[in-house]
Structures are given as C-alpha cells and as structure tokens.
Amino acid sequence: MVQKIKDMSIGTRLIILFFIITSVTYGVNIYMYWNINKSITTIDYVYVSNADLNVLTNTLENVQRYMYEYLNTKSSDALKNYYLNHEKYNELIYDLNETITDNEIDLMERKIRTMSLEYLDLTNETIQAKRGRNIEKYNKYYEEASQMYSYISTNIYSLNNEQFERNSNNYYTLLESLKYLEIINVMILLIVGLVSMFLITILTKNITKPLKKLANSANEVARGNFNIEFDVPISNDEIGIVTVAFKKMIINIQKYIKQIKESMEYEAKLKENELLMKNLLKDAQLKYLQAQINPHFLFNTLNAGVQLAIIEDAEQTGLFIEKTAEFFRYNINKINEDSTLEDEINLVDNYIYIMSIRLFQDINFIKNVDESLLKIRVPSMILQPPIENALNYGIRDIDWEGRIELNIYREGNNVCISVIDNGRGISKEVLDDIMKGEPKEADLEKNSNGIGLKNVISRLKLYFDNDNVLKIYSDGEGKGTRVTITIPIDKYVMTDNFT
Amino acid sequence: MNTNDIKKPSINKRKLISFIVFLFSILLLFSIIFGMNYYRKQLIDRELNNSQGDTKYYSKHFALIIENLDSPFGESIYGGARAKGDELGIYVENFGENLHFPYSIKERLKMAIASGVHGIIIQANGDDETTKYINQATAAGIPVVTVLEDAPISERISFVGANQYQLGKYYGNQILKSVSLLNKEQTRVVVLLGANEKNKGSDIIFTGIKDSLAKETIELEPVAIDRQSAFSSEETIHKIIMDKDKTPDIIVCLNQADTISAYQTIVDYNMVGDIDIIGYYNSEVIQLAIEKNIIDSTIVIDTKQIGEYSVKILDEYLTFGMISEYIPISIDIVE
C-alpha cells in the first residue's frame, strides 16, 4: 500500500490528499449539521405537549362558554358553536391516555378524560333540559357541569404545569447536550485539522526532502566532489526520474574525467620518454663530438695507411687497416640513426677481426644467426658493446680457452639476441647493480667507441618502453656470462623488406 | 562507544516517537469525543426517557384522600397503601397531590368519583356532606373505605383505624403519668380537638380521656381548632399559651400537625419544662423532641398498616363482595 502510494506521481498524490481532506471536512460538516439539526428538532418538540393542552383548554372553555350563552340567550349561534366545540373536545379527549399507569401524566390524562366524558354528558343534559324548558333541572345540571368544568380546568392546568416542568427539564437537558455536541464538534474539527496538517506535512516533506538532498548533491558536484554518497531514495515519481538522471550524469562525468586523466597521463609519459631519449642522444652526440676529431683524422690516416699497404703489397696490413677504418666509419655514420641487425653483425665481425689482430690470438667467436631476421631495424650500436664486454671482462686473461657466442633467433613474435661467453662471469652483487643501472665499474661506460653497456641498456629501455629488453645472467664468478636482448618484431622494428 | 549514539536518538527513532505521540493525541481526542458523546446520550436517555420511565400498567385505580397528604404521617399511610397496591396490581393515587390548588377532602372525594376510580380510601370527618358523597360513590359502584376517622352512618364498606375510645384511654393514661410527675394540686390539661366536626372521632377520643381522668382533680378543657382555615393550629396554640391566667400544664394533641405546632410554639416562647406535650404520631421531628424531653410522650398508630389494610380490604371487597366492617390498628406509646 505504502509502496503503491510512493509509486504515484507527486501530482496524483497531491490531488488524492486534497480530495481526501476536502471529503473528510465536508463529511464532518454534514455530520455536525445533521447532529445539531436533530438536537434542535428535538428541542422544538419539547413544548408540543403544552401546546396541545392549551388547545384542549381553549376548546373546553368554548364548550362551557357557548353552553352558558345558550342558556342565557338561547341563540342558535351559541347552540351551533356549542355543538362544534362539543364535538371537537370529544375528539381531543379521545387522544388522551385511558390506561392506569404509575406515570403521573398518564394518570392525570385518564382522569381528565373520564371527567370530561361525564362533563360532556352533563352539558348535553343541561342543553336538553333548557330545550325542554325544565328550569329546575337545567339549573341543577348547569351547576354540576360548572363544578365539573372547574375540576377539569384545575386538572388540565395542573397537568400543563407538570408537563411544563418536565419539558423545561428536558429543554435544559437538551440544551446541555447541545453544549456537549458543540464541544464534540469543535474537537472533531480539531482532529480533522490536525490529521490534515499531519498528512500535508508528511507529503510536503516527502516531496521537498529528496529535492533538498538532490540540491545538496548538486552543490557537492559543483564544488568538484564527485564521490558523493547518494542516499536519495529512488521513487517512481518526478523526483525519482530527476534523481536517476542526475545519478547517470555524475557517473558519466566521472567516467569521462577518468578517461581524460588517463590519456593525459599517457601523453605526459610519452613526452617524458622523448625528452629522456633526446638527453641520451645529446649525451652520445657530445661524446661523439669530443671524439670526432680523432676518428676523422684517424679515418683519413687509416685510408692513407691502406693505400701505403697496397703499394707495399702488404695485404694483411691493408686489410687490417681497412677493417679498422670501416669500424670507425660505422661509428661516425650510424650514431645518430637506427640500424639493421645485419649492419650490427658486420660491425661485430670487424671488431672481432681487429681485436684478434690486436691481441695476436684467434678469438673463438661463434655466430648462429637466423638469416631471415637480418633486416630487422634496431637502435644502432647495441651488439658491439656486449661483445666488447664479453671480450674485455669475460674471456681475456683466463686460464681456459675463451669462447664468445652470438645467437640471433626468433621466439614467437620476438627476436632473441644472446651474447654468451664462458669467461670470468659476474658476481651476483655486481650483476644486481648493473641491472639497476648503477654499474660501479667505469669500464661499462668507457668502451672502445665511447658507448658503454649502460648506454645500451638505457636506450633499449626507452626505445622499446620495456625494462626487460636486455638481461644479463651469470651463475657466478668463473661461470661465464649471458646477455640477452629481446626485441618484439611487430612493434617497431620492421624494415621495408622484412615480412 | 560514542556517547552521542546513546543520547541522541536516530532520526528514524525520533520520527517513530513523534508519530506515536501524534497517534496517542488523536486517540485521546477520539476517546474524549466518544466519552462525551456517550455521556450526552446517557444524559438524554436518563433525563428524557426516565421522565417517562418504565411505565407500569395497573388494572385498578384507587384514590387515597386524607388530610395533610404530604406530611410524614400522610406519606407513611400512602407508602403502605402504594406498596400493597403494587403487590395487587392496583395503582393507589395520593389524590390531590398533583393538583396545583389545595382541595378539601369533600371536593377531592367528588373529583375522585368523577374520575371514575375503582375504589376510594378516605379520612372521613363524619359530617353530612361527606356522608352524602360517600353514599353517592357507593351508588356509582365505587366502594369507600374510611381510615383514621370514620363516617359510621355512611355506606362505607369498612373502617380501618384505631378504636377511638381506646385511643382516648391511652391518652388518659399518659396524662395521669405526667400529672403524677408534676406534683401539683390543680393540673390544667388542654385537649386540641377539631372544630365544626360533627364527628365524632375526636369526641370519642375526648370521652375516652375524660373517662380515664374521672376520679382525678384535673381541669380538662377541650379546645376546638378550625381545620377549614389555614394556619389555625399554630394560632390557636399561641393563644392558649399566651393566656397568662389559664396557661395549661399539659397540651394533648390528637394529630401530627398539632403536635409539631405545639412543640414549636413552646420552644419559641421558651416554655420548655413549663408545659408538657402529649403528642400524636412519631415522625423524625417528634422523635427528636421526645429525645430532648420537649414532648413528653406520643401516641403512635401503625400508619403503614392502615394504608396496607385499606387497600387489601377494598381489593377483597371488589373480588369477594364481603368484608369485615372494622379493621382495628394497634396503638403504641413512645416516651
């Protein structure tokens, strides 16, 4: 029932309430009017019995008067009036009580009735005697009738008084009851008023309370607080509809704000990456510029050396110098741009050749390369630094035969590059420092081409937006080192020919 | 625990409490309304319907016509008669009580005959006119019983009352008792009788008194009181007391009104102890005066019994047609 009422629209609820209040007020008014009217009608009837008795007295007086008039004048008018009143009185006394009861009024009526019947007989006898001119008789009858008349009059008078007394009591009782009725009516009106006010208050509160809450929520939202608690009960009326719409609006706003926040955060991150990349490049460029004078001079000098070696037919020397020149040329040309795996492998080959001449020993270098991956685009100078590290810190000066292995293969959607040596290995502490980007040994930064392993790690991280592109493994000192670089194929690194 | 939680009821609780308070106020108002309405209806029922009352119907209607009908003496007779009548299905009316003018016994008797009552109980004073009307009633088929005072030569069917001569003897004995206590050489006794009453009820009483005191040296004087005129009793007693030469030692009263008048006059003139009263009947006032020794003694007849017997006899007459002519009532003395 309550739910049904709550489901109604505000308009319907207002109409029903006004209808109820109006109906009740009308009903109560009609009831009160009816009640008071009833009481007043009862009061009106209080003195009816006295009025009836007055009619009886008047008729009796007329009978006596016209009898006397007839006896006095013998006029036919008097006789006619006498008979009229005689008949009327006869009718009237037949309405009086005849039974014997302990009710004084009943008993008086009975006496009046009996005496009146005898009186009417006596008056008739008197009239008859007068007509028969029996003077003695009609005088005697007249006297008797007159005495009876006085008795009846006294009795009617007494009855009238008795009834008047009772009627007055009744009248006062009814007046008193009317007073009570008035108080009762006032109280009923009071109740109707109170109940109406109560109902109106409840309805008004039911309408305004959710509106206030809604307004408060809107103010909260206006202040920027979207995390408001919604304790507005959802009803099926107009306010319910507004509340639901408002709720939806807030949820959507919250969603949009979240989306904008995310995209802004993403953009900021991208910008940050770009800046870092630029920094690193600038750093690399600075180092390159510092070293520029030497490579150019060295490069030209080396070219001159190549020509000199050819002139002298020193082929080995010529080749060596040529490879060295190529190594430096790559450094100069590629430092600013991306490269391919193929170029990187060539650089590594040059480097191994140079180092084997330099160190006067063959370097045990093994390559396992998946030819299909050669065209993959990668940042430049990422292969040579790990190889150099493996050579300088891995297998140089060890008691056993050193070996460096370069593996390039495909693993799912990734290209895996691993540089494995069987050299000195790295202790766990050093390994952790390197991976955290805090290498203690300056050698990591200072390589033959000025680009250390740390630089490679940083660049790879930024380039692929992934911390785990380069990993270094070692089982401990004397157990060799393995450096792996994992590059996703499909993301950045496709060259034109690569499919 | 937070103390606020204990002190401040929650909104729902407050709502519930205000709702309950509201509900109780409405209920209270309603109960007041229903109470008042109930009281109002009771008032109307009691006053309006009870004034008509539970009407009781009777088969016969008797008229009781006595002097001083609203004195305790008269009411006692009426009470006895009314109770007996109720028992027998007869309504006994204290005739003339409802009328707004005082009517004499004769007039009331005439009215009763004209009213067509079924029987009449009357305190007859035995004069010719009363006798005539009694005979008239008998002729109209209305049996008449006399009480207290008789109309011996009328056609009344019976007399219910004390033997008047015997009553006189009782008075005589009480006078003798008082005289012996007075211890005077000559004692003056005034007997208050009814005037212009040819009856002889009171005369017979007086004879009874006289006979009892025949051997004594007592000055016995009958004083007549005109019962037809109002206030004559008090006036006469006043005169008797004020007569310095003939102030009585004892006043003998043959009815209740005279007894109270005599007592009141003696008290008013501060003559308590100077004049003894031998009264009649035993109402509350008389009883109190006897206790205070203002009234010496009083002759009591069983008034209730008179009422009862008279109704019973009339009823028996109407049923069987034959009854005893004289029903004696016992006499008692209260000192």
Side-chain angles (χ1 to χ4, degrees):
Chain A
M1 180 69 186
V2 176
Q3 195 53 45
K4 259 189 181 177
I5 292 170
K6 279 187 177 170
D7 285 349
M8 287 173 186
S9 74
I10 294 171
T12 317
R13 269 192 275 169
L14 281 174
I15 288 168
I16 289 175
L17 181 71
F18 289 139
F19 183 75
I20 288 173
I21 289 172
T22 315
S23 313
V24 170
T25 314
Y26 268 111
V28 165
N29 272 312
I30 288 168
Y31 171 74
M32 288 187 316
Y33 175 78
W34 173 78
N35 234 345
I36 289 174
N37 210 30
K38 206 173 88 177
S39 292
I40 289 173
T41 315
T42 319
I43 291 174
D44 282 348
Y45 272 105
V46 161
Y47 292 108
V48 161
S49 55
N50 287 113
D52 288 349
L53 275 183
N54 285 342
V55 174
L56 195 73
T57 313
N58 287 340
T59 318
L60 178 69
E61 273 172 10
N62 284 340
V63 172
Q64 180 72 10
R65 198 178 88 206
Y66 288 119
M67 178 184 71
Y68 173 78
E69 208 177 302
Y70 178 72
L71 296 181
N72 212 15
T73 61
K74 230 188 164 190
S75 97
S76 53
D77 263 3
L79 189 63
K80 193 180 132 198
N81 282 330
Y82 163 76
Y83 279 123
L84 277 174
N85 282 292
H86 184 278
E87 199 173 328
K88 192 180 169 192
Y89 190 68
N90 207 12
E91 274 170 23
L92 286 173
I93 58 169
Y94 271 100
D95 289 337
L96 296 174
N97 171 59
E98 202 184 352
T99 56
I100 304 164
T101 70
D102 56 355
N103 184 316
E104 281 175 17
I105 287 173
D106 282 352
L107 206 68
M108 280 174 110
E109 278 188 9
R110 178 184 143 85
K111 285 193 282 181
I112 290 165
R113 186 191 159 105
T114 320
M115 282 192 274
S116 297
L117 285 171
E118 198 174 329
Y119 168 72
L120 289 178
D121 281 350
L122 275 173
T123 54
N124 270 347
E125 298 260 10
T126 313
I127 297 287
Q128 289 305 322
K130 175 76 182 174
R131 279 179 153 182
R133 298 194 175 275
N134 190 338
I135 299 167
E136 196 187 336
K137 218 176 179 183
Y138 84 68
N139 266 330
K140 185 189 157 230
Y141 282 142
Y142 175 69
E143 214 170 286
E144 281 179 17
S146 294
Q147 198 179 35
M148 195 61 79
Y149 166 75
S150 87
Y151 291 161
I152 296 168
S153 294
T154 307
N155 271 287
I156 293 177
Y157 176 79
S158 300
L159 177 62
N160 212 346
N161 268 350
E162 188 74 28
Q163 278 193 344
F164 187 77
E165 205 175 299
R166 273 188 198 189
N167 292 344
S168 296
N169 282 339
N170 290 350
Y171 179 75
Y172 285 120
T173 305
L174 286 169
L175 273 192
E176 203 180 336
S177 105
L178 204 64
K179 267 183 210 159
Y180 278 109
L181 201 64
E182 273 171 19
I183 297 172
I184 288 168
N185 287 347
V186 168
M187 287 184 93
I188 290 175
L189 276 182
L190 201 70
I191 287 179
V192 169
L194 278 177
V195 172
S196 303
M197 270 158 64
F198 182 72
L199 287 177
I200 289 169
T201 311
I202 285 179
L203 186 73
T204 314
K205 274 199 172 170
N206 270 343
I207 294 169
T208 53
K209 210 172 161 190
L211 276 177
K212 272 185 194 162
K213 281 188 176 174
L214 202 61
N216 285 341
S217 302
N219 281 337
E220 278 294 305
V221 173
R223 267 186 232 121
N225 177 16
F226 283 93
N227 296 322
I228 43 165
E229 274 199 26
F230 244 100
D231 59 346
V232 183
I234 305 294
S235 50
N236 283 339
D237 57 15
E238 293 85 338
I239 294 167
I241 295 164
V242 174
T243 309
V244 169
F246 185 72
K247 231 175 174 177
K248 269 187 196 163
M249 185 184 84
I250 285 172
I251 290 165
N252 284 340
I253 288 174
Q254 275 176 313
K255 217 159 88 183
Y256 292 137
I257 286 175
K258 200 181 163 194
Q259 276 179 5
I260 290 169
K261 234 184 201 170
E262 274 175 1
S263 67
M264 274 171 78
E265 270 173 12
Y266 184 69
E267 263 176 38
K269 204 180 167 192
L270 278 184
K271 269 189 184 164
E272 196 184 354
N273 279 353
E274 206 175 323
L275 279 173
L276 270 173
M277 195 82 136
K278 274 183 183 164
N279 266 351
L280 285 170
L281 279 174
K282 272 187 182 157
D283 185 41
Q285 273 173 336
L286 188 65
K287 281 175 181 165
Y288 156 73
L289 283 172
Q290 279 173 345
Q292 206 172 26
I293 304 159
N294 290 337
H296 275 279
F297 174 72
L298 195 64
F299 183 61
N300 293 334
T301 310
L302 285 173
N303 273 343
V306 171
Q307 286 170 4
L308 192 63
I310 292 166
I311 294 165
E312 284 180 355
D313 282 336
E315 277 181 25
Q316 291 281 335
T317 309
L319 185 67
F320 172 73
I321 294 169
E322 193 184 337
K323 293 273 181 194
T324 310
E326 257 178 49
F327 180 79
F328 285 113
R329 192 192 299 127
Y330 186 85
N331 267 349
I332 293 162
N333 291 340
K334 292 286 179 178
I335 193 74
N336 256 345
E337 53 194 59
D338 285 352
S339 174
T340 61
L341 265 182
E342 190 177 22
D343 291 342
E344 285 291 292
I345 291 164
N346 283 339
L347 182 69
V348 167
D349 285 342
N350 280 346
Y351 176 70
I352 292 293
Y353 174 81
I354 292 163
M355 287 314 284
S356 62
I357 303 293
R358 258 184 65 188
L359 298 173
F360 296 108
Q361 66 175 61
D362 280 342
I363 294 167
N364 191 0
F365 178 67
I366 302 150
K367 278 197 295 186
N368 300 309
V369 177
D370 182 346
E371 298 287 326
S372 66
L373 303 171
L374 289 176
K375 296 296 177 195
I376 279 180
R377 189 172 281 273
V378 291
S380 63
M381 304 294 282
I382 59 165
L383 274 189
Q384 188 269 335
I387 297 285
E388 188 173 341
N389 269 17
L391 187 67
N392 286 341
Y393 306 111
I395 61 170
R396 190 191 278 190
D397 303 330
I398 54 170
D399 303 335
W400 59 91
E401 191 190 353
R403 175 172 48 91
I404 295 171
E405 204 179 303
L406 172 67
N407 301 309
I408 295 175
Y409 55 93
R410 188 172 180 151
E411 198 176 73
N413 276 334
N414 295 322
V415 175
C416 285
I417 302 164
S418 68
V419 176
I420 302 164
D421 69 73
N422 61 344
R424 275 180 286 183
I426 308 169
S427 69
K428 198 169 182 307
E429 292 78 34
V430 178
L431 191 67
D432 287 344
D433 287 343
I434 295 168
M435 290 314 292
K436 279 178 199 161
E438 300 165 358
K440 283 173 187 167
E441 294 174 48
D443 303 285
L444 279 173
E445 289 185 9
K446 290 178 181 172
N447 238 328
S448 55
N449 52 16
I451 292 168
L453 191 62
K454 187 189 170 194
N455 185 280
V456 174
I457 293 170
S458 300
R459 276 192 297 128
L460 281 170
K461 273 184 185 173
L462 287 172
Y463 195 94
F464 294 103
D465 193 20
N466 187 346
D467 285 350
N468 296 321
V469 177
L470 188 142
K471 281 180 182 167
I472 303 169
Y473 306 95
S474 177
D475 292 337
E477 287 188 23
K479 295 194 172 169
T481 308
R482 180 163 59 97
V483 177
T484 61
I485 297 167
T486 313
I487 298 166
I489 295 171
D490 54 345
K491 203 168 178 185
Y492 302 101
V493 288
M494 309 296 263
T495 60
D496 297 340
N497 300 329
F498 186 80
T499 50
Chain B
M1 191 187 269
N2 192 348
T3 45
N4 285 349
D5 292 346
I6 305 166
K7 282 178 186 168
K8 286 184 187 171
S10 67
I11 294 170
N12 273 341
K13 221 175 186 179
R14 281 219 313 268
K15 263 188 183 174
L16 190 73
I17 289 168
S18 16
F19 182 71
I20 288 170
V21 167
F22 177 77
L23 207 71
F24 266 97
S25 323
I26 296 293
L27 276 179
L28 190 73
L29 281 175
F30 263 114
S31 29
I32 292 172
I33 286 176
F34 282 118
M36 281 179 103
N37 207 27
Y38 180 75
Y39 176 74
R40 191 177 72 90
K41 284 200 170 140
Q42 286 280 312
L43 187 83
I44 291 174
D45 281 355
R46 197 175 55 233
E47 296 292 327
L48 259 56
N49 299 342
N50 272 13
S51 58
Q52 286 147 27
D54 287 335
T55 312
K56 198 173 167 189
Y57 288 87
Y58 299 88
S59 57
K60 288 181 193 123
H61 179 199
F62 290 175
L64 175 73
I65 301 164
I66 47 171
E67 267 174 26
N68 302 321
L69 41 93
D70 42 11
S71 68
F73 181 79
E75 274 168 4
S76 174
I77 295 174
Y78 179 63
R82 179 75 203 273
K84 192 72 192 172
D86 265 356
E87 201 182 300
L88 300 169
I90 298 159
Y91 184 76
V92 181
E93 186 189 353
N94 197 356
F95 214 84
E97 192 194 24
N98 293 328
L99 297 177
H100 278 71
F101 305 106
Y103 279 91
S104 70
I105 285 187
K106 273 174 277 184
E107 277 170 321
R108 277 187 271 156
L109 178 57
K110 277 199 271 182
M111 237 184 261
I113 297 164
S115 303
V117 294
H118 297 99
I120 295 171
I121 301 156
I122 188 167
Q123 180 181 1
N125 53 14
D127 62 12
D128 293 342
E129 220 178 334
T130 311
T131 305
K132 189 182 107 188
Y133 289 128
I134 290 174
N135 292 346
Q136 212 175 72
T138 311
I142 304 167
V144 180
V145 169
T146 52
V147 289
L148 300 167
E149 291 174 86
D150 198 10
I153 53 164
S154 71
E155 288 173 25
R156 54 109 179 114
I157 54 165
S158 182
F159 169 66
V160 179
N163 182 317
Q164 309 283 294
Y165 184 75
Q166 200 64 41
L167 207 58
K169 285 255 175 181
Y170 271 88
Y171 274 115
N173 285 340
Q174 286 311 111
I175 292 166
L176 284 176
K177 268 190 191 173
S178 293
V179 167
S180 66
L181 286 170
L182 284 171
N183 228 350
K184 275 187 170 180
E185 276 183 25
Q186 184 72 30
T187 315
R188 187 173 148 72
V189 176
V190 169
V191 182
L192 304 175
L193 300 172
N196 46 355
E197 289 169 3
K198 285 190 186 144
N199 158 350
K200 315 329 182 157
S202 51
D203 288 357
I204 297 166
I205 295 171
F206 188 70
T207 310
I209 296 172
K210 224 156 79 179
D211 289 355
S212 327
L213 308 177
K215 292 171 190 167
E216 307 294 325
T217 53
I218 291 169
E219 191 188 331
L220 192 65
E221 187 191 347
V223 173
I225 294 174
D226 183 1
R227 303 238 179 265
Q228 299 299 314
S229 70
F231 322 120
S232 55
S233 171
E234 200 268 332
E235 291 296 333
T236 312
I237 293 163
H238 179 237
K239 254 186 229 164
I240 294 166
I241 290 170
M242 285 301 150
D243 191 348
K244 297 279 181 203
D245 301 334
K246 290 160 116 189
T247 310
D249 297 305
I250 297 165
I251 296 177
V252 177
C253 308
L254 302 191
N255 68 33
Q256 184 211 359
D258 288 353
T259 310
I260 293 172
S261 284
Y263 145 74
Q264 197 60 52
T265 313
I266 284 172
V267 171
D268 288 349
Y269 292 96
N270 203 17
M271 297 186 84
V272 178
D274 295 341
I275 301 171
D276 281 347
I277 298 171
I278 295 167
Y280 183 74
Y281 194 54
N282 190 19
S283 71
E284 224 171 282
V285 182
I286 295 170
Q287 184 69 46
L288 212 68
I290 289 170
E291 279 167 22
K292 287 180 184 170
N293 269 331
I294 301 168
I295 293 174
D296 197 43
S297 62
T298 186
I299 308 289
V300 179
I301 55 164
D302 193 340
T303 42
K304 202 179 147 202
Q305 207 177 40
I306 292 174
E308 282 173 4
Y309 281 1
S310 52
V311 172
K312 195 177 157 219
I313 281 204
L314 265 179
D315 186 51
E316 274 173 15
Y317 179 81
L318 287 170
T319 316
F320 305 112
M322 285 291 285
I323 42 143
S324 164
E325 273 207 14
Y326 171 56
I327 311 292
I329 297 293
S330 54
I331 301 164
D332 223 347
I333 293 161
V334 178
E335 289 173 297

